[in-house]
């Protein structure tokens, strides 16, 4: 059977998305003129905007949606997280389309015939496109599994160590790879790999552990290039360090710059603007909650409402603000509790039933409300809304060199490590996540972390 190029499915996705958006507009129109809605609000626009006229407008506006979908990265060949990232890409792109229409109407100074159709059409476009993509993906998996249409043949070179085994386990959970034919070999034997590629029609090679001889690594790259197939590998620590590079020339000599983070100059400016606006609006919104929490803290135990805790960021000390969740002078008692520290793998201190925590303090920590005053730090520029966890001076004294990399950018009120398990994570895993955030920063990643923070804030039990 002739293989189907994966690019075909990406191209097919575009007209399907367009049809879903058109149907969302038509559904909103039909819903508005239905007796069920008309009995509550009479239809006054049908003479000015009959269905055929609306359909022409709908077809035009839906094209705008597709442009925003493309800008949001929904038609890139690089696969992403199916159910989380793609959902927010669809919602963000649809919202931009809706906002563009509202701005156009405002500039033209003429209102659309029905606000109901605008709002419901925007909402249904998100739902319809998401459902269409779920169904389309489900059909692709069935076609691949039962009929071999679009099925990918993949070689995984695995040396059976614990990291590789974990990678293979994650590979088995991924819907795309579950519908692929995967052949696992344990050695990067170039002759054997070449024979399998030519015999089985392999589409890509994945190296789960790149710590192999340099000659073999380069040989695999050259082999895949010669056979015109994809080569992918799980990077080691050094390779992740080189993920942010820039090129310049000094005369005829190429100069490669290894950047500490993906946050370039403009990225820092945009991130700071978002931090300023977010913290300012956040402080206004939560000010009534501040008053209520302050009263509860005062009634619960003697001591100040806010505490200042010393932290280190970009090699400079600063003080973060938090609602007091412990008794007064809690730090003085910490030395007596060190034998009960539950985090033996790290310089962090964690004790679930810490006797220093007050009654209201347990609630504040469980809901993360104790961290709300850090909005002040964000507004002052000492912290960011999203970033690595703030680090204590006594913890940093025990860090190795590779751990100190996370100190190169501002800490955040929330971050990738916080939404991935927080204090339940092993120390090395937390550092890896914060390092990944620095290496792969984007506004889209910040947006995902922020949304997921709101989703888990009342469910995460890792705070103590």
């Amino acid at each position: 059977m002739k293989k189907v190029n994966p690019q075909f499915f990406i191209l097919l996705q575009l007209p399907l998305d367009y049809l879903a958006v058109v149907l969302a507009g038509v559904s909103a129109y039909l819903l508005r003129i239905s007796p069920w809605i008309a009995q509550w609000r009479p239809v006054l626009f049908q003479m000015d905007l009959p269905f055929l006229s609306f359909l022409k407008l709908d077809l035009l506006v839906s094209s705008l949606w597709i442009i925003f979908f493309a800008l949001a990265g929904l038609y890139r060949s690089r696969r992403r997280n199916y159910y989380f990232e793609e959902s927010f890409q669809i919602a963000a792109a649809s919202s931009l389309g809706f906002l563009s229409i509202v701005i156009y109407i405002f500039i033209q100074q003429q209102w659309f015939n029905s606000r109901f159709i605008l709002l419901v059409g925007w909402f249904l476009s998100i739902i319809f496109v998401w459902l269409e993509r779920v169904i389309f993906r489900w059909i692709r998996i069935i076609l691949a599994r039962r009929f071999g249409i679009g099925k990918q043949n993949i070689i995984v070179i695995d040396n059976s160590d614990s990291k590789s085994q974990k990678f293979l386990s994650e590979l088995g959970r991924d819907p795309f790879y579950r519908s692929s034919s995967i052949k696992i070999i344990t050695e990067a034997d170039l002759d054997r790999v070449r024979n399998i590629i030519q015999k089985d029609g392999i589409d890509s090679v994945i190296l789960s552990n790149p710590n192999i001889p340099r000659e073999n690594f380069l040989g695999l790259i050259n082999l895949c290039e010669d056979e015109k197939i994809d080569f992918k590998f799980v990077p080691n620590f050094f390779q992740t360090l080189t993920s942010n590079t820039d090129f310049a020339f000094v005369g005829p000599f190429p100069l490669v710059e290894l950047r500490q983070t993906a946050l370039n100059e403009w990225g820092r400016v945009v991130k700071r603007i978002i931090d300023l606006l977010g913290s300012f609006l956040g402080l206004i919104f939560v000010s009534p909650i501040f008053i209520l929490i302050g009263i509860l803290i005062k009634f619960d135990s003697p001591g100040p409402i806010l505490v200042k805790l010393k932290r280190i960021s970009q090699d400079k000390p600063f003080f973060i603000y938090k609602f007091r969740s412990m008794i007064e002078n809690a730090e003085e008692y910490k030395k007596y509790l060190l034998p009960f520290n539950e985090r033996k793998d790290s310089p962090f201190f964690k004790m679930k039933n810490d006797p220093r925590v007050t009654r209201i303090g347990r609630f504040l920590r469980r809901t993360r409300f104790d961290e709300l005053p850090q909005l002040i730090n964000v507004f002052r520029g000492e912290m960011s809304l999203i970033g690595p966890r703030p680090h204590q001076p006594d913890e940093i004294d025990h860090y190795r060199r590779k751990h100190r990399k996370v100190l190169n950018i501002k800490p955040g009120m929330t971050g990738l490590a916080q939404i991935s398990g927080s204090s339940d994570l092993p120390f090395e895993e937390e550092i890896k996540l914060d390092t990944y955030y620095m290496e792969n920063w984007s506004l889209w990643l910040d947006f995902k972390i922020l949304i997921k923070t709101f989703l888990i804030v009342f469910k995460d039990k890792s705070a103590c």
Side-chain angles (χ1 to χ4, degrees):
M1 179 180 290
K2 186 178 180 180
K3 286 193 175 184
V4 179
N5 192 321
Q7 194 69 30
F8 168 77
F9 292 106
I10 297 173
L11 294 175
L12 185 58
Q13 189 77 73
L14 194 148
L16 291 174
D17 287 348
Y18 181 74
L19 181 60
V21 177
V22 170
L23 289 176
V26 169
S27 300
Y29 183 92
L30 295 178
L31 186 62
R32 177 62 186 92
I33 65 174
S34 66
W36 182 59
I37 299 294
Q39 66 176 331
W40 300 103
R41 191 175 181 84
V43 178
L44 303 176
F45 61 81
Q46 238 177 329
M47 294 295 293
D48 296 330
L49 189 64
F51 178 74
L52 288 178
S53 298
F54 172 80
L55 183 59
K56 293 178 183 178
L57 184 61
D58 187 25
L59 292 171
L60 178 64
V61 170
S62 296
S63 302
L64 179 66
W65 250 245
I66 298 302
I67 293 173
F68 282 115
F69 284 166
L71 293 174
L74 285 167
Y75 303 115
R76 291 176 186 165
S77 57
R78 183 164 65 95
R79 294 183 330 98
R80 297 173 177 270
N81 182 303
Y82 284 141
Y83 302 108
F84 183 75
E85 182 167 348
E86 187 175 81
S87 300
F88 285 112
Q89 283 178 304
I90 293 169
S94 297
S95 299
L96 283 173
F98 173 77
L99 184 62
S100 299
I101 293 173
V102 171
I103 292 173
Y104 175 79
I105 291 171
F106 176 79
I107 292 174
Q108 292 295 314
Q109 296 184 345
Q110 57 181 15
W111 190 238
F112 186 65
N113 300 71
S114 174
R115 287 169 290 181
F116 178 92
I117 293 176
L118 278 177
L119 290 170
V120 175
W122 162 71
F123 176 75
L124 290 181
S125 68
I126 298 173
I127 302 299
F128 281 20
V129 172
W130 184 82
L131 286 174
E132 165 258 314
R133 282 179 167 253
V134 169
I135 294 170
F136 182 62
R137 190 174 298 119
W138 176 68
I139 292 173
R140 280 190 64 181
I141 292 173
I142 292 177
L143 289 174
R145 288 180 178 176
R146 295 189 179 180
F147 307 103
I149 300 174
K151 188 174 185 177
Q152 295 285 294
N153 295 323
I154 300 169
I155 295 177
V156 176
I157 303 173
D158 168 64
N159 65 355
S160 300
D161 66 3
S162 58
K163 181 180 178 182
S164 297
Q165 288 299 312
K166 186 176 181 181
F167 171 73
L168 289 176
S169 176
E170 292 297 327
L171 211 62
R173 295 190 184 100
D174 189 288
F176 173 80
Y177 290 108
R178 280 208 310 268
S179 62
S180 301
S181 175
I182 297 179
K183 183 176 182 64
I184 301 172
I185 61 176
T186 56
E187 294 181 5
D189 186 318
L190 296 182
D191 291 333
R192 187 183 178 192
V193 173
R194 182 181 291 106
N195 289 335
I196 296 173
I197 290 173
Q198 294 173 351
K199 178 183 175 182
D200 298 337
I202 298 299
D203 298 291
S204 63
V205 173
I206 299 177
L207 181 64
S208 65
N209 188 346
N211 297 316
I212 61 174
R214 182 173 177 272
E215 296 77 15
N216 289 33
F217 193 92
L218 294 175
L220 282 172
I221 295 174
N222 293 333
L223 174 60
C224 292
E225 184 177 329
D226 293 340
E227 297 292 337
K228 296 179 176 56
I229 63 174
D230 295 332
F231 176 71
K232 304 171 186 176
F233 65 94
V234 179
N236 58 26
F237 181 72
F238 173 76
Q239 287 154 345
T240 59
L241 290 178
T242 59
S243 61
N244 289 299
T245 60
D246 196 12
F247 292 87
F249 283 89
V250 178
F253 298 97
L255 198 63
V256 180
E257 176 187 358
L258 300 183
R259 293 180 171 176
Q260 295 178 343
T261 172
L263 264 171
N264 56 27
E265 291 79 4
W266 280 108
R268 292 179 187 273
V269 171
V270 173
K271 190 172 174 65
R272 179 59 187 146
I273 291 172
I274 293 173
D275 285 342
L276 271 172
L277 291 174
S279 58
F280 178 73
L281 295 174
L283 286 168
I284 294 175
F285 179 74
V286 301
S287 55
I289 301 176
F290 272 38
I291 297 171
L292 176 61
I293 291 176
I295 294 172
L296 292 174
I297 290 173
K298 274 298 185 184
F299 272 100
D300 183 54
S301 61
I305 294 173
L306 295 177
V307 292
K308 292 168 61 179
L309 304 174
K310 192 174 183 179
R311 296 292 185 264
I312 303 294
S313 171
Q314 299 172 307
D315 294 326
K316 296 178 182 178
F318 74 103
F319 291 92
I320 65 168
Y321 296 96
K322 298 181 76 171
F323 282 121
R324 181 174 60 84
S325 59
M326 290 185 170
I327 59 174
E328 273 193 289
N329 304 318
E331 279 298 312
E332 296 178 9
Y333 298 94
K334 183 177 178 180
K335 58 186 177 182
Y336 302 110
L337 299 173
L338 288 177
F340 304 100
N341 184 14
E342 297 172 16
R343 297 201 64 171
K344 306 297 183 183
D345 67 321
S346 76
F348 299 161
F349 178 84
K350 177 188 175 183
M351 185 177 178
K352 282 189 177 179
N353 297 311
D354 194 324
R356 299 173 298 169
V357 180
T358 63
R359 289 173 300 175
I360 187 64
R362 296 190 190 281
F363 167 77
L364 294 176
R365 287 176 166 225
R366 189 170 62 250
T367 58
R368 313 283 173 154
F369 282 4
D370 63 320
E371 298 176 359
L372 287 177
Q374 290 175 25
L375 287 168
I376 300 171
N377 294 109
V378 176
F379 187 77
R380 292 171 56 171
E382 297 162 333
M383 291 179 64
S384 180
L385 291 175
I386 297 154
R389 187 180 68 86
H391 296 266
Q392 298 176 207
D394 58 334
E395 294 174 347
I396 294 173
D397 292 338
H398 298 88
Y399 285 7
R400 291 191 296 228
R401 187 176 182 277
K402 68 176 183 178
H403 300 147
R404 293 177 176 269
K405 184 173 182 179
V406 298
L407 304 174
N408 290 336
I409 64 173
K410 292 179 185 177
M413 291 184 63
T414 186
L416 198 57
Q418 289 94 316
I419 65 171
S420 302
S422 191
S423 56
D424 283 342
L425 285 173
F427 172 65
E428 290 290 339
E429 194 66 27
E430 180 176 325
I431 293 294
K432 281 183 182 179
L433 288 169
D434 283 337
T435 302
Y436 175 87
Y437 172 80
M438 292 177 60
E439 299 282 353
N440 298 274
W441 173 87
S442 68
L443 288 176
W444 178 244
L445 181 58
D446 274 2
F447 177 73
K448 287 193 299 180
I449 293 171
L450 193 61
I451 294 299
K452 195 168 183 181
T453 299
F454 286 117
L455 293 177
I456 68 172
V457 70
F458 294 108
K459 298 179 182 179
D460 185 11
K461 305 302 180 186
S462 64
C464 64

